Amino acid sequence: NPTNGQLNLPFYLPAASEVQCRLVDGSGRLVKVLLAQDFPQGDNLQRIPSNTLSELPDGMYFYELRSAVHRRVGKFVLTK
């Protein structure tokens, strides 16, 4: 999924929980914590605006969404 704009991260939580989203580069190095906040039970959508990613070089990145009851890893390619 190449992106040069907003990154949309949809996820489902079976129970309300704090969610953290970490961004790592292709070598597994933590680049940035994108969010750490409470979300309600059900379908959620977190939008990461392009200015949050603007200081990063082009390349492939992985994100990890993690809560007490949910974990998801995905990847995207950042292009400018």
Side-chain angles (χ1 to χ4, degrees):
N1 300 10
T3 186
N4 61 0
Q6 179 173 276
L7 180 62
N8 294 313
L9 303 173
F11 58 95
Y12 174 81
L13 292 173
S17 180
E18 179 183 28
V19 174
Q20 292 185 349
C21 183
R22 299 173 355 128
L23 185 66
V24 297
D25 62 18
S27 65
R29 180 180 63 93
L30 177 63
V31 174
K32 190 172 202 171
V33 175
L34 296 174
L35 71 98
Q37 67 187 63
D38 292 328
F39 284 89
Q41 174 186 5
D43 291 316
N44 292 278
L45 175 64
Q46 179 63 41
R47 292 182 170 95
I48 308 296
S50 59
N51 64 346
T52 303
L53 307 171
S54 63
E55 77 277 3
L56 301 175
D58 290 359
M60 184 170 60
Y61 293 89
F62 297 88
Y63 64 87
E64 177 190 38
L65 284 168
R66 180 182 289 242
S67 73
V69 295
H70 177 82
R71 180 176 180 266
R72 187 176 90 201
V73 176
K75 67 179 176 179
F76 69 96
V77 177
L78 180 63
T79 59
K80 296 180 188 165

